[in-house]
Amino acid sequence: MDKPSTTISDLKKKRRMNALISPTLHEIKFNEFVLFILEKKMGTTRRAFLMELARRKGFRVESELSDSVTHIVAENNSCSDVLEWLAGQNVGDSSRFELLDISWLTECMKVGKPVEAIGKHQLVTPSDCITETPPLATKEVSQYACKRRTTLNNCNQKFTDAFEILAKNFEFRENEGICLAFMRAISVLKCLPFTIVRMRDIEGVPWLGEQVKSIIEEIIEDGESSRVKAVLNDERYKSFLLFTSIFGVGLKTSEKWYRQGFRTLDEVKADKSLKLTKMQKAGFLYHEDLVSCVAKEEADAVYLIVKEAVRAFLPEALVTLTGGFRRGKKIGHDVDFLISDPESGEDEQLLPNVIKLWEKQELLLYYDLVESTFEKTKLPSRKVDAMDHFQKCFLILKLHHQKVDSNRSKPPPESKTHEAKNWKAIRVDLVMCPIQQYAYALLGWTGSRQFERDLRRYATHEKKMMLDNHALYDKTKKIFLKAESEEDIFTHLGLDYIEPWERNA
Ligand code: CTP
Ligand code: MN
Ligand code: MN
C-alpha cells in the first residue's frame, strides 16, 4: 500500500504538537539540569505532555539534543537502546549525558523538584557499560560469586529486578530451592559488564537454567515478564511484602496473619487482641522511619555516634562500618558495625555499657543483646547460612537530624504525625569480636549474602576447608589457619583478592 499523503488533520495535529513542544514561558527554577526527553518508544504525544509538565514545574527542557543538555530521560529503553540512538545523533562524546529512566522524572514531578538520581533511576553511565558483543568469553564467568568481581554497576537491572520479585515470591512460599536458583541467577547477571540484548549474550553463563532463560527471553522481547506481573498482583505476595516490612516479622508470623485473614498492616494494627513481641511492637512504632532506608550520610552520622560511645569505654577499640555500606552502597536497610579491642581481647561489658550510655542519653528506641555462644574448640559450621556466635546487639537508634551532615542533598522529611519530630529511627547492628577473629568477622559481615554463601561453598567443595565468621579450618592438614587481614583469608583459599566494593554479588 502507498503511504497516504499528509492530510489536513495531520497538519493540524502537527501544529498542536509543535505548540506543545515549543518552550512556553515558564520560570526555570532548577538550573543545574537541562533535560532532553527521548521520543523513541515513548511517542510524540506523551513526550509533549511530559515536556510541558516538567517545564511547568520549573525544569529546563530542551526540544532538541543541544550542547547544553545534561540529562536524557527515556522510557521503555535500556541503556544500550539509548546509546544506540545517541550513536546516530552525531553528538560526539555521549558519556557527558546522564541517562535516566522515566521513573526519575515521575518522582521529580510528584514532589515538584529534582530528586536524587539513585541506582534504580540510572540507565548506567555509558563509560561503564559495554553494549557491543560481549568482549569476555562468557564461559569465563565462574560459578562462584567469590571468583567474580561484582560492583554496584548493574547493567542488567531490568532482569535482576524481575528475578528479585520472583525469588521473593518463592521465599514467601517457603520454596527454598527455586528461590536459591533465582538468587544465583540474579547474582551472576549482576557481574556481567554488558547489557543482555539477545539470547546469544548469555551462552555459557552459569546458573541460568531453562526457566530463567525463558523469562530473560520474554523480557528482551516484550520488555516485561508475565510471570512477574502475575506475582505483583498476587494477594499472598502483596500481604507478605507488607508484613515482612515490619522489623521482627518473618515468614512464620506473616503466614499466621495471612491465615487469620489479615491482608494489610492496618488490619493487623486494628486487631488489639494480637500478641506482638517487643521487637514487633518497636517495628510497628518506627515502621515509617525504618522502611524509608538509611542514606550514606545517615550511616556516617551513626558511625560517629557509635565510635564515640565505644571509645568512651575502650579508647583503643576498632570500630568498622561493615555490611552494604562497606561495599559502597548509597542506601541500606540498616547500619552494621564490627567492634574489636586489640588491648583487652574480649570485653563482654562493652555492649552492655554502650547500651546503658545510650539509654541515659535517650537515644535508644529498642535493643536486643545476644550473648556470645562461641566455643574455641568447635570447628567452623557446615551450614552455608549459619549464624555466628559473636556477642551482638540489634538495635534501633534515635538519630537527630542535626547530627546528619548539614550539606546533605535532601532536607530532612517533614513529619505529619509527630509534632516537631527532629529525629529518625535507624536500625543498627553491633557485633563484638575478639581481635584474633577480626579478619574472619569482617569478611563475614561485609557480605553480600550471596558472596558469603559462595565463599563457604568454594572452601568446602574446592579446598576441603571449612569457613565461617570465626575461622578457617583445613580438613586435610587438620589445622586452623590464622589471618590478620581479609587478604590473608583469600590467600589461604587460593583466591584473587576481591575488594569490598566488588562483593556486591
Ligand atoms: N550477616 C551474618 N550473620 C547475620 C546477619 C548478617 O553473617 N546474622 C552478614 C551477611 O553476610 C550480610 C552482612 O552480614 O551480608 C550484612 O547483613 P545485612 O545488614 O542483613 O545486609 P547488607 O548486605 O548490609 O544489606 P542492607 O543494606 O539491606 O542492610
Ligand atoms: Mn546492612
Ligand atoms: Mn544488618
Side-chain angles (χ1 to χ4, degrees):
M1 207 168 81
D2 284 341
K3 214 175 158 202
S5 55
T6 314
T7 63
I8 303 247
S9 114
D10 280 343
L11 281 175
K12 273 190 187 156
K13 196 170 160 193
K14 203 162 185 183
R15 214 172 297 142
R16 273 205 308 271
M17 283 303 158
N18 280 337
L20 271 177
I21 290 170
S22 60
T24 31
L25 296 169
H26 293 297
E27 186 201 347
I28 294 172
K29 285 197 237 161
F30 314 110
N31 277 307
E32 63 275 38
F33 302 99
V34 182
L35 308 185
F36 175 80
I37 302 178
L38 188 63
E39 186 179 306
K40 193 175 162 224
K41 295 194 188 171
M42 178 186 280
T44 330
T45 323
R46 179 156 165 77
R47 176 178 186 250
F49 165 76
L50 289 171
M51 284 171 66
E52 170 63 16
L53 183 66
R55 282 175 181 152
R56 230 185 302 138
K57 301 260 179 188
F59 285 81
R60 183 171 157 198
V61 188
E62 298 284 285
S63 314
E64 309 287 333
L65 191 59
S66 68
D67 282 345
S68 48
V69 169
T70 58
H71 290 62
I72 298 180
V73 179
E75 186 168 40
N76 294 324
N77 280 279
S78 69
C79 171
S80 54
D81 291 338
V82 180
L83 288 178
E84 200 178 290
W85 180 83
L86 273 171
Q89 298 303 307
N90 205 7
V91 286
D93 177 20
S94 55
S95 67
R96 66 195 155 97
F97 302 115
E98 177 122 28
L99 308 183
L100 296 174
D101 183 65
I102 189 71
S103 57
W104 173 78
L105 190 63
T106 318
E107 275 176 47
C108 293
M109 294 303 101
K110 236 184 257 163
V111 295
K113 60 181 182 211
V115 300
E116 195 185 349
I118 54 170
K120 64 173 179 179
H121 302 128
Q122 276 150 350
L123 288 172
V124 184
T125 50
S127 56
D128 295 341
C129 254
I130 297 146
T131 52
E132 294 101 49
T133 319
L136 98 170
T138 39
K139 286 181 189 59
E140 282 168 22
V141 178
S142 170
Q143 64 141 313
Y144 292 107
C146 55
K147 291 190 76 150
R148 307 191 293 251
R149 294 179 196 274
T150 315
T151 65
L152 289 166
N153 178 33
N154 177 4
C155 297
N156 292 291
Q157 200 181 343
K158 188 164 63 171
F159 302 100
T160 56
D161 281 354
F163 289 125
E164 305 264 10
I165 292 163
L166 297 176
K168 209 155 206 71
N169 185 45
F170 283 107
E171 184 195 331
F172 291 162
R173 290 173 184 275
E174 290 178 61
N175 193 331
E176 284 169 38
I178 304 186
C179 177
L180 186 62
F182 282 124
M183 307 268 268
R184 284 184 165 146
I186 293 166
S187 173
V188 82
L189 292 175
K190 280 184 182 170
C191 90
L192 299 180
F194 55 86
T195 305
I196 300 165
V197 287
R198 46 187 117 62
M199 292 310 282
R200 215 184 63 215
D201 294 347
I202 49 170
E203 269 170 31
V205 177
W207 301 122
L208 305 182
E210 285 317 306
Q211 203 177 156
V212 168
K213 278 196 173 141
S214 74
I215 295 164
I216 291 180
E217 191 161 26
E218 196 187 351
I219 295 174
I220 291 177
E221 279 166 16
D222 308 338
E224 59 184 8
S225 150
S226 51
R227 272 185 72 179
V228 171
K229 267 172 114 176
V231 168
L232 289 175
N233 281 317
D234 182 70
E235 196 168 26
R236 184 186 163 99
Y237 175 84
K238 287 192 283 189
S239 298
F240 270 58
L241 204 58
L242 289 173
F243 298 163
T244 55
S245 76
I246 301 286
F247 173 57
V249 177
L251 295 184
K252 246 197 312 190
T253 308
S254 300
E255 179 76 50
K256 197 173 77 193
W257 289 350
Y258 192 78
R259 281 206 199 158
Q260 287 176 312
F262 298 117
R263 294 295 178 265
T264 66
L265 289 176
D266 282 339
E267 286 169 19
V268 176
K269 270 191 265 184
D271 189 328
K272 297 293 169 218
S273 70
L274 271 187
K275 281 243 176 319
L276 298 178
T277 63
K278 180 179 154 230
M279 198 180 196
Q280 291 162 352
K281 278 182 195 151
F284 271 110
L285 209 49
Y286 308 112
H287 184 244
E288 200 186 325
D289 279 357
L290 298 185
V291 291
S292 79
C293 279
V294 186
K296 179 66 168 72
E297 294 85 349
E298 291 166 337
D300 291 338
V302 173
Y303 172 72
L304 294 179
I305 294 172
V306 173
K307 198 168 74 175
E308 191 181 295
V310 168
R311 297 267 171 95
F313 302 100
L314 298 173
E316 303 298 318
L318 294 173
V319 177
T320 313
L321 185 66
T322 60
F325 288 109
R326 184 162 184 253
R327 302 195 307 272
K329 277 174 61 174
K330 294 274 182 280
I331 51 164
H333 95 281
D334 67 356
V335 198
D336 308 280
F337 294 96
L338 183 62
I339 302 164
S340 191
D341 187 37
E343 300 294 308
S344 72
E346 276 177 90
D347 188 328
E348 284 150 29
Q349 280 318 301
L350 176 76
L351 292 184
N353 281 334
V354 166
I355 289 167
K356 266 180 249 153
L357 175 68
W358 284 339
E359 252 172 351
K360 219 162 58 197
Q361 296 174 334
E362 296 182 8
L363 293 181
L364 203 59
L365 299 171
Y366 167 89
Y367 78 91
D368 177 19
L369 180 69
V370 182
E371 286 304 337
S372 163
T373 53
F374 182 68
E375 298 162 45
K376 283 206 167 87
T377 51
K378 236 173 137 183
L379 290 182
S381 166
R382 280 173 189 283
K383 288 191 217 128
V384 179
D385 274 322
M387 292 283 274
D388 60 42
H389 302 276
F390 295 121
Q391 184 195 36
K392 48 178 104 58
C393 193
F394 307 108
L395 26 92
I396 302 178
L397 265 194
K398 190 188 256 192
L399 176 65
H400 288 279
H401 293 322
Q402 88 247 18
K403 294 255 180 193
V404 182
D405 212 352
S406 52
N407 57 20
R408 51 184 275 161
S409 48
K410 276 177 286 186
E414 282 162 43
S415 174
K416 293 149 218 132
T417 43
H418 304 260
E419 234 179 290
K421 176 171 166 286
N422 60 350
W423 51 270
K424 177 174 167 183
I426 307 262
R427 269 274 301 116
V428 176
D429 286 345
L430 301 181
V431 181
M432 183 75 194
C433 85
I435 195 78
Q436 301 79 10
Q437 299 176 21
Y438 177 78
Y440 288 102
L442 180 61
L443 180 62
W445 275 85
T446 298
S448 69
R449 282 226 149 76
Q450 201 56 36
F451 190 88
E452 302 299 329
R453 282 193 190 113
D454 277 8
L455 263 176
R456 284 175 211 149
R457 204 164 56 85
Y458 179 83
T460 308
H461 296 295
E462 306 291 332
K463 294 284 157 184
K464 291 207 164 48
M465 292 183 187
M466 293 159 86
L467 172 73
D468 67 8
N469 288 3
H470 301 269
L472 178 63
Y473 181 76
D474 186 326
K475 288 206 282 183
T476 322
K477 294 186 187 152
K478 298 200 170 61
I479 50 166
F480 283 96
L481 300 169
K482 287 204 169 78
E484 287 200 349
S485 62
E486 290 179 311
E487 282 90 338
D488 286 349
I489 306 172
F490 282 87
T491 307
H492 286 320
L493 289 167
L495 290 169
D496 288 341
Y497 183 63
I498 307 282
E499 298 281 359
W501 56 90
E502 298 169 326
R503 298 181 204 161
N504 286 290

